[in-house]
Structure formats: C-alpha cells, structure tokens
Amino acid sequence: MAIRRGRGVAAINYPTGMNLGGDPTQALVHSTPTGNFMVTLSSVDLGQGMKQIMAQICAETIGVPTDRVVVDTADTDTGPHCMGTFASRGTHRAGNAVIQAAREARQVMLEVAAEELEVNASDLDTDGQGNILVKGAPQRSISIFDVALSAHFKRGRSISGRGMFLIPRSYPDKETGAMKPSTCYAHACTVAEVEVDDETGEVTVLTVKNVFEIGRALNPKMVEQQLVGGSWMGISHALYETTEPYYPDRDHGGTDFNQYLMPGPGDLAQTEIIVLERPSADGPFGAKGPGEMCANPQIPAVANAVFDAVGVRIDTLPITPERILRALKAQASN
C-alpha cells in the first residue's frame, strides 16, 4: 500500500452565449443633469462583477471616468429586454449593447457641446477626465457637467442612447444538422497533480495549473479572481459535491449545507492562473465570456490524474474514495 502520484491534463473550448433567437440583449444609457451616466439593463449581476464591467465599457465608450457611471440592473418589467444571465453571455452580449447605447449618447453630448463652443461636433473629443476639448486647441473646452446642464435646461436635448446586440442566427443544415451555435469561443487547459492513497482511496490535489484564453481581460484582477475561484469549484465538483452519492438511490444524500460536502481552505490546491488574450472580433473591446468555463477543465484533469496515479478510470462524479477503492478491487480481481 502506498501514496501514488499522478498528473492529468484536459483542454476544453466553451461557447459564449447561445444561438436561440439571435440571443438578444438591450441596453439604455442616459445622462443625469449633472453629467453622470446611468446604464439600464435587465442583465443581472450574480456576483461575477457585471456592474463593474458594464460601467467600464460605458465609461470607455463615452469618454468619462468609470466612477461617473452607475449601472441599474432593474428587472424585466422596467428594464430593456435581456435573454438572461447565463451561458457566459453577460459581458459579450450586454457589453456590446452598452457600447451601442453609449455611442449614441456620446454623439448627442458632443452635439450639445458643439453648440456651446460654436464648432462642429466632429471637431470635439473627450479627455477621459470629464471634459470635452476642441481637437488641436485643447484650451477651448467645456466640462461634461456644463454640457449636461445645457442639454437639460437650455437646449432641450436628451443625452441618451439605445443599444441592442443580436448575433446572426444560424440554422441547422437540413442534410447534416451542422450549424454554428456561437460566434466566439473561449478556451482553457488545466494540468492537475494529485496524490492518491491506494489503501484509503483518498485524493489530495497538490497543484492545479490553468491557462485560459478569454478574448480580452477587461478587468484583469476581477478575471483572475473569477478564474481562481472557478478552479477551486472545479476541484470541488470533481472530488466532493453531490446531493445523491448513490444515485438514483437518495440514501445518504445531504439535506442542507451542513451536510453538503465541499472543500475547506485546507483542502485547496496550489493554483496557478495564466490568461491569454486573443481579442474576439465581435466582442466588446475584444472580450469573450469566461464565466462558466473557469470551473470545467479541472474535472477531467483531476480524473485523468487519478487514472495516471492508480490506473483506474472513474467516470462518475464525484471521484470519492469509495469509488476508487471499488475500482481498484475490481481491477485486482480481473
């Protein structure tokens, strides 16, 4: 009986969004009378940071600091239509819609500024700090605060915009059934190193090294946090989590979170994250959707590492000590 070490590799690709009905998402952007901007969406922030990313996208498009943008995710009665927050679609679909709405709002803002400065709107640009400048003559400028006041109380203009992103619909080929379910895919590869006690069946994940290709990381620190958390979730799915350990029999299944098995801080492996940026042609500033993919490649990588360590293939999750021991026993009897 011994502690055996193994290494497993797995690579995946993951579609961003879906094909159903063009997978549309809408966004509205408008200025307050004091030059802040509101983004209205029905896309919901589930904790993944959507509000922050949408604020960044809007701010970059209009040309204002991010702290001048507020994102309201409202609901499906009061907000513009969205298919939902799922399928790793939020950044890609809502981000594109926000860009369209912000561009329209920016154009109105520049037109109002042009009237105040007595120039053409095409001669103006923003400095990213809350001001609008005449190109080539930056001493001639006006604050976005003053432009918003003028629009609301002098010019009678609404600094606002509407955006809707819709992917080209792909229909199955009548002969082959082939179709294109997504316009862009994210990719990942994981290498997991484990130790398996062949007497107890216990698995210890030593290291997990992940490489993710996600288009473009719009907020690198948030991306890193999500990918690290996702990697830990993948380990949890691979080795711990189940509500029905003897499916389809419900016996011994956890009935609440006190009984639901998940790894604690002492069970988490040393984790390395590498992000590759290959901007998507149709992504907002090149971004794809890393959301669900981040917890996927660890599962087959751990399964492959267990096989490498003790020579048995476990094809049912989670990979529990009992399943490993049963597989070893079956292998020895053959």
Side-chain angles (χ1 to χ4, degrees):
M1 302 300 177
I3 303 294
R4 303 184 182 277
R5 181 171 290 202
R7 180 178 295 161
V9 181
I12 66 167
N13 63 12
Y14 202 90
T16 297
M18 59 181 185
N19 180 54
L20 181 63
D23 200 16
T25 288
Q26 300 178 10
L28 301 175
V29 172
H30 75 271
S31 166
T32 69
T34 55
N36 292 322
F37 287 85
M38 291 290 302
V39 178
T40 306
L41 299 167
S42 290
S43 308
V44 177
D45 192 325
L46 302 176
Q48 78 276 36
M50 175 179 283
K51 285 187 174 182
Q52 173 64 28
I53 294 302
M54 294 305 113
Q56 287 181 216
I57 289 173
C58 179
E60 181 71 18
T61 305
I62 292 177
V64 296
T66 303
D67 60 11
R68 298 282 291 272
V69 179
V70 176
V71 179
D72 176 16
T73 53
D75 60 42
T76 53
D77 284 333
T78 61
H81 177 259
C82 176
M83 292 294 285
T85 301
F86 60 92
S88 303
R89 65 186 296 281
T91 294
H92 189 275
R93 304 302 199 253
N96 275 311
V98 168
I99 286 176
Q100 291 182 18
R103 283 174 176 167
E104 190 172 293
R106 173 185 167 90
Q107 182 58 35
V108 177
M109 179 183 73
L110 294 180
E111 290 172 2
V112 173
E115 293 182 57
E116 293 296 314
L117 294 171
E118 299 181 341
V119 296
N120 292 324
S122 60
D123 294 329
L124 298 177
D125 202 357
T126 52
D127 66 356
Q129 302 300 315
N131 300 297
I132 298 173
L133 316 173
V134 176
K135 297 175 185 177
Q139 68 277 10
R140 295 191 62 195
S141 66
I142 185 172
S143 70
I144 292 175
F145 177 91
D146 287 331
V147 171
L149 288 175
S150 173
H152 281 80
F153 301 110
K154 180 179 178 182
R155 304 290 179 178
R157 299 290 301 275
S158 173
I159 300 179
S160 59
R162 303 156 297 173
M164 180 170 180
F165 184 71
L166 187 72
I167 66 169
R169 183 77 180 273
S170 176
Y171 293 91
D173 183 271
K174 293 181 180 180
E175 297 296 327
T176 66
M179 61 178 298
K180 187 177 182 181
S182 182
T183 60
C184 66
Y185 294 80
H187 305 85
C189 181
T190 292
V191 179
E193 191 168 7
V194 306
E195 286 183 345
V196 183
D197 187 325
D198 63 8
E199 183 175 8
T200 66
E202 183 178 4
V203 178
T204 301
V205 182
L206 303 175
T207 64
V208 178
K209 297 178 172 63
N210 305 279
V211 179
F212 294 95
E213 185 279 299
I214 61 167
R216 187 176 181 187
L218 301 185
N219 188 309
K221 196 62 180 178
M222 288 177 63
V223 167
E224 179 187 1
Q225 291 169 342
Q226 185 162 357
L227 296 180
V228 170
S231 182
W232 292 347
M233 287 178 65
I235 294 172
S236 187
H237 291 320
L239 299 177
Y240 296 88
E241 295 187 47
T242 181
T243 57
E244 298 168 328
Y246 298 101
Y247 181 83
D249 193 332
R250 294 301 305 274
D251 290 348
H252 305 291
T255 58
D256 57 34
F257 282 116
N258 290 319
Q259 299 175 346
Y260 188 75
L261 188 61
M262 292 183 288
D267 302 308
L268 296 173
Q270 178 183 341
T271 302
E272 182 177 349
I273 301 293
I274 296 174
V275 175
L276 301 179
E277 294 187 294
R278 300 290 186 271
S280 169
D282 69 344
F285 300 104
K288 300 178 183 178
E292 293 159 306
M293 175 191 70
C294 59
N296 287 359
Q298 299 80 18
I299 300 170
V302 168
N304 289 337
V306 170
F307 175 78
D308 185 50
V310 293
V312 294
R313 178 69 69 185
I314 311 299
D315 57 9
T316 301
L317 295 178
I319 303 170
T320 60
E322 178 180 353
R323 286 176 173 146
I324 292 174
L325 292 178
R326 288 183 184 276
L328 289 171
K329 183 178 180 179
Q331 183 188 63
S333 65
N334 292 334

